[in-house]
Amino acid sequence: TLDLTCRKTPCFAKFREMEKKASMQAEIDEVQPVLLSVTIDSTLHFHFVGKKCKMLQDMNRHLEAVLKNEKALKKRLLKPRCQDSLPIEATFHKYIAQLLTEAVTFIEKFENHLQAVRTIPQMPNMMQDMDTALAKTEVLTMELEKLVDQIMKWRDMQKQLYSD
C-alpha cells in the first residue's frame, strides 16, 4: 500500500516542465540579440561590399574606355591647343608674349588690391588692438626706465662702497 500511495504527484512534474521552459526561454533571450547583431552586421557588410564592388566596376569600365582611346588621347595631348583656338600671325607673337606677362602682373596686383579691400571692415578692430598694444608698450617703457634708474643708483652705490 505504501508503494501505491508513493506515486509521483503531477504538480512537481509540471513544475519541472515550467522550469525547463523558463530556462529554454532565457537561453533564447540570450542568443536572440547576438543573432540579430550578427545578422545586421553581415547585412551591412554585404551592403557596403556591394557598393565598393560597384564603384570598382565603374572605375574599371572608365579605365578600359581610356585605354581604348589611348592613341587618340596621345594625339590630342601632343597637338598644341593654341593653334586651334587662337590663330595669330607670327609678327604679333612678341606682343602676345608681352601681353601675357602684363596680364599676370595685373592679376597679381588685382589680388593684392582685393585683399586690401577685404581688410577694410576689420580696420576699426585692428586700430583698437594697435592702440591697446601701444598703451601696453608705453607702460612697459616707463617700467623699464624705472628699472634702469634703480640699476644705475645701485651701480653708483656699489662703486662708492668699493671705493671706500
Side-chain angles (χ1 to χ4, degrees):
T1 57
L2 284 177
D3 287 338
L4 290 176
T5 58
C6 184
R7 62 181 176 177
K8 294 183 179 175
T9 58
C11 69
F12 290 119
K14 284 190 177 188
F15 179 72
R16 283 190 197 119
E17 286 179 22
M18 293 296 284
E19 204 173 56
K20 285 180 184 178
K21 283 182 183 179
S23 66
M24 291 175 95
Q25 186 63 38
E27 287 179 18
I28 289 172
D29 289 343
E30 286 178 13
V31 172
Q32 191 173 13
V34 173
L35 287 175
L36 183 63
S37 68
V38 168
T39 305
I40 290 172
D41 288 344
S42 63
T43 304
L44 287 175
H45 180 71
F46 286 127
H47 175 71
F48 288 117
V49 167
K51 279 188 174 182
K52 287 180 183 178
C53 184
K54 186 178 180 202
M55 287 172 53
L56 287 173
Q57 286 174 348
D58 291 342
M59 200 180 323
N60 190 25
R61 277 189 230 111
H62 173 71
L63 291 174
E64 284 176 353
V66 168
L67 286 175
K68 286 179 182 176
N69 297 328
E70 182 181 4
K71 288 183 182 179
L73 285 173
K74 282 183 181 178
K75 198 177 202 181
R76 280 179 47 203
L77 289 172
L78 291 174
K79 189 176 179 182
R81 295 285 302 167
C82 65
Q83 291 177 357
D84 289 343
S85 59
L86 191 61
I88 300 172
E89 293 181 23
T91 56
F92 299 118
H93 283 206
K94 175 183 169 186
Y95 301 113
I96 295 296
Q98 290 174 354
L99 181 67
L100 287 175
T101 56
E102 288 180 13
V104 169
T105 56
F106 171 77
I107 290 171
E108 289 173 353
K109 288 180 181 178
F110 186 68
E111 287 175 351
N112 289 338
H113 291 302
L114 280 177
Q115 186 65 28
V117 168
R118 286 185 188 126
T119 58
I120 288 174
Q122 300 169 354
M123 279 297 171
N125 292 337
M126 292 169 69
M127 292 299 291
Q128 193 175 23
D129 291 344
M130 288 175 70
D131 288 341
T132 55
L134 180 64
K136 287 179 182 178
T137 305
E138 288 174 352
V139 168
L140 289 174
T141 304
M142 290 189 302
E143 289 178 5
L144 183 63
E145 287 174 354
K146 287 179 185 177
L147 283 173
V148 167
D149 288 341
Q150 288 177 357
I151 289 172
M152 294 302 283
K153 287 178 184 177
W154 181 78
R155 187 173 137 202
D156 290 341
M157 285 176 40
Q158 292 299 320
K159 280 184 181 179
Q160 287 178 357
L161 286 174
Y162 282 120
S163 66
D164 290 342

